[in-house]
Amino acid sequence: MADTPPEPEPPPIIVVLPDGQEATGRLQERHQVPGTWLYKVAIPAWQNTPSGHVEPAWYVVWVQAPDHVKPVPGVSYDDVPTTRLPPPSAEQQILGERRLSGWVLQKLDGGRGPGRGVIHAVDCEEAPAGAPLLTLDKALEAAEHPGTRLCSLCSAAAELDPVLKGFDHGFDGAE
């Protein structure tokens, strides 16, 4: 039976602690997420055993790079397991970031009864904070109430008007 070589020790990395102190830990893994990188680091610490003794241990945590880690000069991180996001599709490159889907209802006149209201896209600056998210069916149902209008500052009017009035509305002089 052949001996297997021991796993190489993860490379050292400087971990910036919440109070600004720096500790040398080990970089175990890197993971790219939208907008940033997360690094899985192990920092030496102490732990208590069930028998009441104190022994060395590794505290393992995911931290955000580069805010919470610094490279050690002269150390290569090429062999660290790394998960990258797939490259953006042609559609994503052309269209860019997409907004969250859904709509919210801003109740006017104090919000009591079937009064007036405005339907906003969920990410509209005028949308009320904490309003429940409406599905397409619920947004259309709310839009059909008299006194409810679609916000023209966001995409609510452009998205919901064609569904409410028909997709041919506004073409060839049809109203």
Side-chain angles (χ1 to χ4, degrees):
M1 185 178 212
D3 288 335
T4 58
E7 292 268 333
E9 194 170 274
I13 192 160
I14 299 169
V15 180
V16 181
L17 301 175
D19 65 358
Q21 292 183 68
E22 296 179 353
T24 302
R26 297 287 178 183
L27 178 58
Q28 296 183 332
E29 191 176 340
R30 299 183 287 197
H31 185 73
Q32 185 181 24
V33 295
T36 193
W37 281 88
L38 298 177
Y39 280 31
K40 184 178 180 183
V41 297
I43 305 168
W46 298 102
Q47 73 178 7
N48 296 83
T49 66
S51 63
H53 294 92
V54 177
E55 66 183 17
W58 289 96
Y59 176 71
V60 179
V61 63
W62 286 93
V63 295
Q64 189 173 343
D67 298 340
H68 305 129
V69 290
K70 295 178 183 178
V72 173
V75 172
S76 171
Y77 299 102
D78 293 342
D79 293 332
V80 173
T82 302
T83 306
R84 294 183 184 276
L85 289 175
S89 67
E91 177 184 273
Q92 290 170 323
Q93 290 176 5
I94 294 167
L95 296 177
E97 291 294 319
R98 304 215 44 217
R99 75 166 184 85
L100 298 172
S101 63
W103 300 270
V104 295
L105 175 62
Q106 176 185 13
K107 293 183 178 183
L108 304 175
D109 298 330
R112 291 183 296 279
R116 300 177 320 128
V118 180
I119 297 177
H120 299 276
V122 71
D123 59 347
C124 179
E125 290 180 12
E126 300 294 319
L133 186 65
L134 302 175
T135 63
L136 175 61
D137 290 337
K138 293 291 185 186
L140 293 172
E141 183 180 312
E144 290 177 332
H145 285 103
T148 300
R149 65 179 178 82
L150 302 174
C151 177
S152 57
L153 299 176
C154 66
S155 59
E159 292 170 344
L160 298 175
D161 247 350
V163 181
L164 287 168
K165 297 178 181 172
F167 287 97
D168 292 334
H169 179 75
F171 291 103
D172 299 326
E175 289 294 323

